[in-house]
């Protein structure tokens, strides 16, 4: 049986596991938001970074990439890797994946993804904040995987390269650039 994994954050540009095919597309009724704290990759427990998670949003779509993993051995390795990489995300979901905005039926069903939910069990969920607050936190956070701003700007660039203008990401990136110019002055 084939396994599909949906990436909507750093998985879009850095899967980190073997896959047979990468398909650009979207899921429905979710939106990407910088509400998940990162204390192990893009921040520290003392100064968490912010990474994206998904929140239910009827009528919205969230662009990303789906990865097809066919071989059983590759699936086991990918799952083991993802369980460590996404350990701060507390929910796993299976969704429909679309490649055509006019299609009424999905291109792929049962695509797995990870979500950092607002449940109390998710100690790294930071929740909503103003664009300015989120950008400021991202500009100043850094963790073992590098500066949080690199994550933000890589996400923005990769989405734009895919033809996706994610308003939330772009507003935060624009604000972060303003803050960085101010830091250099």
């Amino acid at each position: 049986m084939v396994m599909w994994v949906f990436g909507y954050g750093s998985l879009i540009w850095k899967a980190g596991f073997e896959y047979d095919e990468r398909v650009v597309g979207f899921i429905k009724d979710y939106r990407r938001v910088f509400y998940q704290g990162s204390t192990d990759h893009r921040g520290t427990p003392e100064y968490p970074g912010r990474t994206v998670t998904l929140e239910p949003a009827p009528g919205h779509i969230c662009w990303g990439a789906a990865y097809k993993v066919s071989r059983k051995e590759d699936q086991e390795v990918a799952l083991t890797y993802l369980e460590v990489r996404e350990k701060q995300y507390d929910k796993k979901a299976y969704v429909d994946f679309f490649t055509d905005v006019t299609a009424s039926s999905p291109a792929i069903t049962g695509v797995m993804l990870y979500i950092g939910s607002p449940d109390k069990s998710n100690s790294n969920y930071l929740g909503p904040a103003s664009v300015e607050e989120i950008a400021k936190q991202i500009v100043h956070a850094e963790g073992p995987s590098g500066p949080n701003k690199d994550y933000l700007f890589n996400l923005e660039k990769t989405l734009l390269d895919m033809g996706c203008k994610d308003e939330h990401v772009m507003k935060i990136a624009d604000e972060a650039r303003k803050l960085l110019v101010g830091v250099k002055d």
Side-chain angles (χ1 to χ4, degrees):
M1 193 166 165
V2 171
M3 177 177 87
W4 284 90
V5 179
F6 180 66
Y8 57 90
S10 60
L11 283 177
I12 299 174
W13 72 85
K14 184 183 176 187
F17 54 86
E18 294 292 321
Y19 57 89
D20 305 300
E21 185 180 354
R22 177 184 184 269
V23 181
V24 171
F26 59 92
I27 60 173
K28 292 182 176 181
D29 299 324
Y30 285 97
R31 70 181 205 110
R32 176 183 8 251
V33 290
F34 271 93
Y35 294 175
Q36 179 69 11
S38 176
T39 58
D40 63 341
H41 286 291
R42 296 296 179 166
T44 62
E46 299 77 34
Y47 200 95
R50 278 188 180 257
T51 56
V52 291
T53 186
L54 296 173
E55 72 175 5
H60 283 79
I61 62 172
C62 178
W63 284 88
Y67 297 92
K68 178 182 180 183
V69 185
S70 301
R71 292 182 49 232
K72 188 176 188 328
E73 299 82 17
D74 290 341
Q75 290 176 16
E76 290 169 3
V77 170
L79 278 173
T80 301
Y81 169 76
L82 288 167
E83 290 297 321
V84 171
R85 178 175 173 166
E86 307 297 328
K87 70 181 180 232
Q88 294 191 336
Y89 290 72
D90 61 322
K91 300 252 189 273
K92 197 184 301 183
Y94 295 87
V95 298
D96 290 338
F97 178 82
F98 298 81
T99 55
D100 180 352
V101 291
T102 62
S104 56
S105 18
I108 307 161
T109 58
V111 177
M112 180 181 71
L113 57 80
Y114 291 84
I115 298 172
S117 80
D119 290 355
K120 291 194 186 325
S121 63
N122 181 3
S123 61
N124 287 299
Y125 183 79
L126 299 174
S130 70
V131 167
E132 294 78 16
E133 289 175 70
I134 292 172
K136 183 177 179 187
Q137 189 169 0
I138 288 171
V139 164
H140 294 291
E142 187 166 346
S145 296
N148 199 181
K149 66 181 185 239
D150 290 356
Y151 173 96
L152 168 64
F153 296 137
N154 278 334
L155 180 58
E156 179 191 40
K157 181 187 181 317
T158 305
L159 290 171
L160 289 171
D161 289 348
M162 291 172 21
C164 171
K165 291 185 176 184
D166 185 305
E167 199 174 306
H168 180 70
V169 174
M170 291 173 66
K171 282 181 178 177
I172 293 168
D174 287 344
E175 184 63 28
R177 278 188 279 277
K178 288 180 197 169
L179 291 169
L180 289 166
V181 168
V183 167
K184 293 175 186 172
D185 289 344

